[in-house]
Amino acid sequence: MRTWTGLIDSDYRPWLPVTDRTPVVSLNEGGTPLLRSAHLSAITGCDVWLKVEGANPTGSFKDRGMTVAISRAAEAGARLVICASTGNTSASAAAYAARAGLAAAVLVPRGYVAPGKLAQAVRYGARIVEIDGGFDDCLRAARDLAARHPVALVNSVGNELRLAGQRTVAYEIADALGRAPDLHCLPVGNGGNITATWQGYQAYAAAGRTTGSPRMWGFQAAGAAPLVHGAPVPAPETAATAIRVGHPATWDGALAARDESGGIIGAVTDEQIFAAYHDLAARDGVYAEPASAAGVAGLLDRHARGLLEPGRLVVVTLTGNGLKDGDAALRDAPAALRSSAAPADVARVLDLAAVTA
Ligand code: AN7
């Protein structure tokens, strides 16, 4: 068996904007698990599969685009890469920059980044600048800096290379299933991922690798749902901090993905997101970060409202790893799951006699 060596050195290389002169900066990203969810399939009457992007090297889908963006930045002779981020992009940029021997600076909203993501950026050696404001303010500052200084911006808005890399998720899904799914659900924040995933399906269909493309169902958090309202949200709020975005940079791309695919972009409440987050781990054994569960929350919401036809082949992207946000996991941990006891008392506290009777 050939071992997986990352996206640029995989069969997907012809689909990526690299040449023989591009130095490959990789952490063996991509090739992530596609797992069937018995639980979600049973509830919905569909065949539901989970694309587990938290299995990427820095724990999110961002690595797919970052291997391309940083490889090309290295080829172009960049010395410093910069990005704005709700956390995952900063972790990924910092890691790939470290591997390429480049300096990295990341701009993040103060107080709204999951601790694990900050820890990653610190350990990968990036300069971290916490901004008083939201992601949208960070992105504006990063774009300003990149316009005035010779630094490589690795946000997807300033960098088409990122989206080209992120398209590979669709190629992997179509290759694994032997066809494109009928429906693809995913969380939406800044809009890059729904755009890239849709473009990936379209590129595969245009090349004759698949015969159709899925409808794209994207979901934003209700308190940060500008694409649903059709207008920017000045003060976005959601506990799913990864998608706390009020003015998505890839606005047109996200709406094009929705409209060209015959899909929707809907809103789900934090309550729905956290319920799906809990069930994914407790029922499917897949620990994804809260924002990642928005696609599942949206699928279940549409099913409950009679808007999901049974029998469909459905893929849901789980965009990031639950380990990034241990605080979120413990904040509302069900009390019944946690107790303290003296060693001699454990059998009684667990009520083992009754449980195993
Ligand atoms: C787990 O890291 O934008 O709609 O700066 O981390 O492409 O923005 C993260 C986004 C979904 C939304 N799920 O994707 C960043 C950043 C997770 C994320 C999204 C993000 P986009």
Side-chain angles (χ1 to χ4, degrees), residues 59-62 84-91 117 135 155-156 162-163 166 187-194 242-243 245 250 289-292 318-321 324:
S60 85
F61 71 97
K62 302 288 184 182
S85 179
T86 58
N88 279 327
T89 299
S90 64
K117 300 174 187 178
F135 169 81
N155 282 109
S156 51
R162 283 268 316 280
L163 295 190
Q166 284 178 210
V188 175
N190 213 22
N193 206 32
I194 190 171
I243 53 173
V245 176
T250 313
E289 67 170 288
S292 293
L318 303 180
T319 42
N321 196 305
K324 287 170 175 279

Side-chain angles (χ1 to χ4, degrees), residues 119-200:
Q120 287 181 287
V122 167
R123 284 300 127 205
Y124 294 133
R127 292 286 306 274
I128 298 159
V129 186
E130 299 188 72
I131 306 276
D132 282 318
F135 169 81
D136 307 287
D137 302 297
C138 296
L139 183 57
R140 199 172 313 118
R143 294 173 85 167
D144 272 6
L145 288 169
R148 288 186 285 110
H149 300 272
V151 298
L153 183 67
V154 294
N155 282 109
S156 51
V157 54
N159 199 322
E160 279 295 313
L161 303 169
R162 283 268 316 280
L163 295 190
Q166 284 178 210
R167 284 178 203 149
T168 56
V169 74
Y171 311 152
E172 287 182 14
I173 290 165
D175 286 338
L177 296 174
R179 56 168 284 203
D182 300 314
L183 188 61
H184 189 120
C185 300
L186 77 175
V188 175
N190 213 22
N193 206 32
I194 190 171
T195 303
T197 304
W198 171 241
Q199 289 174 348

